């Protein structure tokens, strides 16, 4: 009995203790932490949803859309919510696959995070943002998901704006593309979270990247009440998003189409060619009228996520890396188009502008004969004729003699290097400053560059001088490479005479981009000012209000007087009628529009020649500069010059098209748009 009472007493003590604990806990929950739990309870019933802003369109100079938005029903999943499910969301994903009519495994691949060793498809964005799994879904499919949220937790279906490209592949590299924001970017870039909705895409190249902040706008915020299934039952607060600005460019879509076709035709007509580029600049303003690169691709491939095979195609050497813009990122030896800089350097260094110069069939440089193309010998000629006929030996002599005056192999303590310095004054060897990302600087080699290169590579060169290149199967090429390595090992720090001679005609190590060359010609035949080209013209709000006009900065001035510039321009004006491009322009109506320009043929070790033509029109009062490059195209007169002729015929409405009909002028008055297109409050465009 006593034992039973003891047990009851212990039980009573336990019950009393539990009651005391419960009372204390209730008091703590209600009195001490009451406000906290109320806030938590409220938070679980409230969701803050960031509403993405409509991304601004990109228009040409007439208001024609280059990139626009199209509404589409997009299905997305919440990765964080899927991770909290016992099976990682697989059961939901299987149901979703059935509704969408796709394979479960295909969806599974699309939502896995991208990373090292993970091939496309995968999700390159942040794991904290909704992951799109299907776009362009039907209304019926979307309703099945929205009306059965208990079967599809963490799945949404909503209308989103997707990028559309009315002109297809035209200007693909210049326009750029969009991709999701990564977790690292959200954490690294200050202020990005505040302007990011969670489903916005970020510009990754081209104009989309350059003007990303302006195009993206500001997301809105919507506070909603949801039930236990996550279904919205009420809207508590709402702030509308601010649409992104519209970017109006200086591109003329008609001229762009002409340049696209011209470089495509050049590739087709020269099957050995591996790439090509074309650019048209406004001489008066420095704005870009057109810019095309080959190989190219359809930018719509990025919309909704890119497939692995398409992604590999864009980056592979076999396909020619179509993602790369040859206009601003491709660097090539410019050949004789570079002679405008060499002539300017000769005159600035004291040689007479109106003097007489010998043009033998070959010129001896340190015991090595440097011949003219085809063995041409013209006797005593002017610099005018040297440009028109492209006499290399005039320039070989000038380059060699300038090298000697600087001390030859034993350089003076202070060298003048007139040709290299003049080239830099023409804007070569540094980015143009165009409003596009990833621009190449090119290369203007000089004595300092040679020494820096030697210091960086001498150990490797000396090792190769001993071992040779056993991996090169071509024995002649392997032997040449070994001799070159030995030379660079012993005296690679020296600027050799042959390098100076080659530099004078745009050969050797000198490298320029097509845009650099176009800018240099625009400065030469224009007002002598070097400008940082601009594709963007203005930013405008969706209702038409002007946000700002984008100016074209003047970044330099050619160090030559007007007389010298006019002399060179007049010489180049005869190249198409009496010079190296006469054959390419045979039959062209010079009486209607006179064309000036310069051919260039640059040798490339182990490859066919690079074909160039830099041109301007009208020759007497230039308004446009057009440059075309065809890598491995052969002679400048045979590949690039015909392409430039095609561009001029299209701009001015001269000649006949492939269908035999007269070409309709893209710019009937011979001038680009001078006034911004009018964006009306309703979004329509007028002039």
């Amino acid at each position: 009995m006593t034992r039973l009472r003891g047990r009851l007493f212990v039980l009573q003590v336990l019950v009393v203790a539990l009651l005391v604990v419960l009372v204390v806990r209730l008091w703590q929950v209600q009195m001490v932490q009451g406000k906290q739990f109320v806030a938590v309870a409220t938070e679980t019933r409230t969701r803050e949803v960031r509403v993405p802003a409509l991304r601004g369109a990109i228009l040409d100079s007439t208001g024609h859309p280059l990139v626009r938005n199209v509404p589409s029903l997009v299905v997305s999943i919440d990765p964080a919510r899927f991770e909290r499910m016992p099976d990682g969301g697989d059961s939901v994903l299987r149901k979703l696959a059935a509704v969408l009519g796709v394979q479960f495994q295909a969806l599974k691949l699309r939502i896995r995070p991208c990373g090292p060793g993970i091939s496309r498809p995968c999700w390159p964005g942040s794991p904290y943002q909704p992951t799109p799994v299907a776009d362009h879904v039907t209304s019926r499919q979307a309703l099945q998901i929205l009306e059965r949220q208990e079967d599809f937790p963490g799945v949404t279906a909503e209308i989103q704006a997707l990028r559309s490209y009315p002109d297809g592949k035209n200007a693909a590299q210049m326009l750029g593309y969009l991709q999701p924001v990564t977790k690292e970017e959200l954490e690294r870039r200050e202020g990005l979270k505040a302007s990011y909705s969670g489903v916005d895409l970020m510009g990754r190249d081209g104009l989309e990247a350059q003007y990303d902040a302006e195009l993206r706008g500001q997301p809105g915020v919507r506070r909603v009440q949801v039930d236990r299934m996550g279904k919205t039952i009420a809207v508590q607060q709402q702030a509308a998003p601010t649409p992104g600005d519209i970017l109006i460019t200086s591109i003329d879509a008609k001229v762009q189409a002409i340049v696209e076709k011209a470089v495509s035709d050049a590739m087709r007509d020269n099957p050995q060619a591996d790439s090509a580029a074309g650019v048209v600049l406004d001489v008066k303003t420095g704005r870009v009228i057109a810019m095309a690169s080959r190989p190219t691709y359809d930018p719509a491939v990025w919309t909704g996520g890119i497939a692995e095979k398409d992604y590999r195609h864009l980056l592979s050497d076999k396909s020619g890396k179509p993602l790369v813009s040859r206009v601003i990122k491709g660097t090539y030896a410019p050949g004789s188009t570079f002679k405008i800089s060499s002539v300017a350097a000769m005159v600035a260094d004291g040689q007479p502008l109106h003097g007489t110069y010998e043009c033998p069939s070959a010129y001896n440089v340190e015991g090595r004969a440097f011949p003219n193309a085809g063995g041409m010998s013209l006797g005593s000629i002017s610099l005018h004729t040297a440009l028109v006929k492209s006499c290399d030996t005039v320039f070989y002599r000038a380059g060699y003699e300038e090298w000697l005056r600087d001390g030859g192999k034993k350089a003076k303590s202070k060298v003048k290097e007139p040709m290299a310095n003049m080239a830099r004054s023409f804007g070569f060897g540094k980015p143009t400053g165009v409003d596009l990302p990833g621009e190449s600087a090119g290369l203007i080699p000089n004595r300092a560059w040679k020494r820096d290169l030697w210091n960086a590579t001498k150990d490797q060169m000396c090792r190769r001088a001993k071992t040779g290149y056993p991996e090169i199967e071509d024995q002649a090429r392997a032997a040449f490479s070994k001799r070159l390595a030995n030379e660079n090992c012993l005296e690679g720090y020296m600027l050799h005479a042959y390098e100076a001679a080659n530099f004078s005609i745009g050969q050797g190590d000198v490298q320029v981009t097509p845009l650099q060359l176009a800018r240099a010609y625009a400065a030469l035949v224009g007002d002598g000012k070097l400008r940082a080209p601009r594709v963007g013209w203005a930013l405008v709000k969706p209702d038409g209000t002007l946000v700002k006009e984008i100016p074209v900065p003047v970044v330099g001035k050619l160090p030559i007087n007007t007389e010298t510039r006019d002399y060179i321009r007049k010489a180049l004006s005869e190249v198409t009628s009496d010079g190296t491009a006469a054959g390419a322009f045979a039959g062209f109506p010079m009486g209607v529009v006179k064309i000036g320009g310069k051919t260039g043929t640059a040798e490339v070790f182990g490859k066919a020649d690079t074909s160039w033509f830099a041109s301007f029109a009208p020759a007497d009062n230039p308004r446009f500069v057009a440059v075309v490059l065809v890598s491995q195209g052969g002679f400048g007169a045979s590949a690039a010059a015909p392409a430039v002729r095609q561009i001029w015929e299209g701009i001015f409405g001269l000649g006949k098209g492939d269908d035999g009909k007269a070409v309709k002028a893209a710019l009937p008055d011979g001038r680009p748009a001078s006034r911004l297109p009018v964006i009306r409050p309703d979004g329509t465009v007028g002039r």
Side-chain angles (χ1 to χ4, degrees):
M1 190 70 176
T2 303
R3 186 180 296 176
L4 179 60
R5 285 176 181 171
R7 290 178 178 176
L8 288 174
F9 176 76
V10 173
L11 183 59
Q12 287 172 346
V13 171
L14 287 173
V15 170
V16 171
L18 288 172
L19 288 173
V20 170
V21 171
L22 181 60
V23 169
V24 171
R25 184 58 181 156
L26 286 173
W27 177 81
Q28 186 182 31
V29 168
Q30 293 184 359
M31 303 303 293
V32 179
Q33 296 178 293
K35 291 183 179 180
Q36 177 184 346
F37 283 111
V38 168
V40 172
T42 303
E43 185 180 353
T44 58
R45 290 186 286 110
T46 304
R47 296 285 185 271
E48 183 176 283
V49 180
R50 284 186 172 268
V51 183
L54 186 67
R55 193 173 179 88
I58 302 176
L59 310 180
D60 86 337
S61 59
T62 68
H64 172 80
L66 301 174
V67 185
R68 63 185 176 189
N69 300 303
V70 293
S72 177
L73 273 169
V74 178
V75 173
S76 304
I77 65 103
D78 182 350
R81 191 163 181 185
F82 268 42
E83 284 181 6
R84 292 194 297 268
M85 296 178 186
D87 62 351
D90 283 0
S91 59
V92 177
L93 212 57
R94 291 184 189 279
K95 295 175 186 176
L96 184 59
V99 170
L100 298 177
V102 298
Q103 294 292 323
F104 161 75
Q105 195 59 35
L107 290 184
K108 191 77 173 173
L109 291 175
R110 290 196 67 164
I111 67 173
R112 61 181 179 162
C114 291
I118 304 296
S119 61
R120 307 275 177 149
C122 58
W123 174 239
S126 169
Y128 305 127
Q129 68 187 90
T131 304
V133 295
D135 52 41
H136 300 294
V137 302
T138 65
S139 300
R140 182 176 179 180
Q141 290 170 324
L143 284 173
Q144 288 184 67
I145 295 167
L146 295 174
E147 291 180 350
R148 294 162 48 199
Q149 277 292 287
E150 65 277 9
D151 291 334
F152 298 102
V155 181
T156 61
E158 57 186 0
I159 294 177
Q160 293 182 16
L162 300 180
R163 292 307 238 184
S164 172
Y165 305 88
D167 295 337
K169 297 181 179 181
N170 288 5
Q173 297 87 356
M174 180 186 67
L175 295 174
Y177 60 94
L178 304 177
Q179 280 284 273
V181 179
T182 65
K183 174 186 175 183
E184 291 73 20
E185 285 171 327
L186 283 174
E187 295 173 347
R188 185 175 67 248
R189 294 182 56 175
E190 187 177 349
L192 182 59
K193 283 186 178 180
S195 63
Y196 180 65
S197 72
V199 295
D200 286 325
L201 301 177
M202 178 177 281
R204 294 299 183 191
D205 199 8
L207 295 173
E208 293 278 25
Q210 186 73 26
Y211 294 98
D212 181 71
E214 295 87 350
L215 290 167
R216 191 169 65 242
Q218 292 292 324
V221 178
R222 186 168 67 239
R223 283 184 169 273
V224 297
Q225 284 186 328
V226 297
D227 61 16
R228 65 183 183 84
M229 301 304 300
K231 195 171 184 179
T232 301
I233 56 177
V235 178
Q236 287 186 337
Q237 183 183 355
Q238 184 164 303
T242 303
D245 296 334
I246 295 170
L247 175 63
I248 299 174
T249 71
S250 55
I251 298 298
D252 185 287
K254 292 180 181 178
V255 177
Q256 181 69 35
I258 291 166
V259 177
E260 296 277 358
K261 187 175 187 305
V263 294
S264 287
D265 289 351
M267 292 276 286
R268 178 200 64 198
D269 296 340
N270 298 274
Q272 77 279 10
D274 56 20
S275 60
V279 58
V280 177
L281 294 184
D282 183 342
V283 170
K284 307 294 185 185
T285 67
R287 296 194 182 277
V288 179
I289 306 301
M291 183 185 289
S293 178
R294 289 295 182 276
T296 190
Y297 72 101
D298 186 348
V301 74
W302 295 100
T303 304
I306 188 169
E308 175 68 12
K309 65 179 181 64
D310 294 325
Y311 187 69
R312 289 184 180 277
H313 173 78
L314 294 179
L315 300 176
S316 74
D317 291 324
K318 187 177 181 180
S319 62
K321 295 184 177 178
L323 204 59
V324 176
S325 169
R326 265 67 183 185
V327 178
I328 66 169
K329 299 179 183 179
T331 58
Y332 312 84
S336 292
T337 61
F338 191 69
K339 288 175 180 174
I340 59 168
S341 174
S342 297
V343 165
M346 291 166 63
V347 175
D349 197 40
Q351 299 198 45
L353 180 64
H354 299 282
T356 300
Y357 299 82
E358 292 303 313
C359 178
S361 59
Y363 182 75
N364 189 287
V365 177
E366 301 280 295
R368 175 181 168 186
F370 280 70
N372 260 328
M376 174 180 62
S377 178
L378 299 177
S380 298
I381 61 173
S382 63
L383 286 177
H384 179 104
T385 303
L387 286 170
V388 174
K389 301 297 185 180
S390 203
C391 176
D392 290 340
T393 50
V394 167
F395 297 95
Y396 289 144
R397 178 172 184 168
Y400 176 53
E401 290 180 348
E402 287 179 4
W403 176 81
L404 288 174
R405 286 195 290 273
D406 274 339
K409 288 185 177 181
K410 296 181 179 179
K412 296 178 180 179
S413 58
K414 189 174 182 180
V415 294
K416 291 179 64 177
E417 299 185 311
M419 285 199 174
N421 289 331
M422 182 60 71
R424 289 191 180 87
S425 297
F426 268 78
F428 301 119
K430 56 188 174 183
T432 66
V434 66
D435 53 341
L436 292 170
E439 183 185 13
S440 296
L443 175 64
I444 296 300
N446 62 0
R447 293 177 187 268
W449 171 81
K450 281 284 290 185
R451 182 167 288 277
D452 289 343
L453 181 65
W454 181 71
N455 286 331
T457 62
K458 61 181 177 180
D459 291 342
Q460 179 185 353
M461 289 295 101
C462 292
R463 185 171 61 253
R464 285 293 194 174
K466 295 178 180 178
T467 64
Y469 293 82
E471 69 273 18
I472 299 179
E473 295 181 2
D474 186 332
Q475 293 300 309
R477 185 174 180 181
F480 174 79
S481 298
K482 185 177 181 180
R483 287 197 305 273
L484 190 62
N486 185 62
E487 178 184 310
N488 286 330
C489 171
L490 298 176
E491 50 185 37
Y493 59 90
M494 295 181 184
L495 184 74
H496 294 278
Y498 71 84
E499 292 175 297
N502 277 331
F503 182 87
S504 71
I505 63 165
Q507 302 270 17
D509 292 315
V510 58
Q511 297 279 293
V512 307
T513 69
L515 184 61
Q516 285 177 330
L517 193 66
R519 179 177 71 153
Y521 271 74
L524 176 72
V525 303
D527 58 6
K529 294 178 180 178
L530 210 61
R531 293 175 170 83
R534 287 292 178 267
V535 180
W537 187 1
L539 289 161
V540 179
K541 290 188 180 297
D543 63 1
T545 304
L546 179 66
V547 176
K548 71 171 182 178
E549 190 165 332
I550 301 165
V552 181
V554 175
V555 295
K557 184 174 175 58
L558 300 183
I560 54 177
N561 58 32
T562 302
E563 180 189 10
T564 302
R565 289 193 292 106
D566 284 345
Y567 183 94
I568 297 173
R569 177 183 57 78
K570 289 176 181 178
L572 299 182
S573 298
E574 293 184 15
V575 169
T576 55
S577 58
D578 193 36
T580 53
F585 281 84
F588 190 91
M590 294 292 178
V592 179
V593 179
K594 186 171 177 60
I595 307 299
K598 187 74 189 78
T599 55
T601 305
E603 297 178 358
V604 182
F605 181 70
K607 293 184 178 181
D609 293 345
T610 301
S611 175
W612 287 93
F613 193 64
S615 182
F616 53 91
D620 296 332
N621 184 24
R623 185 58 199 258
F624 302 106
V625 160
V627 169
V628 166
L629 152 99
V630 184
S631 175
Q632 299 205 76
F635 291 112
S638 63
V644 173
R645 172 176 179 159
Q646 190 175 336
I647 291 171
W648 293 131
E649 289 175 342
I651 288 176
F652 295 108
L654 306 170
K656 295 182 179 181
D658 294 339
D659 57 2
K661 296 181 180 179
V663 175
K664 188 176 180 180
L667 302 174
D669 58 357
R671 295 193 300 271
S674 57
R675 292 184 296 112
L676 291 168
V678 177
I679 311 296
R680 303 187 183 96
D682 63 357
T684 57
V685 180
R687 290 300 305 175

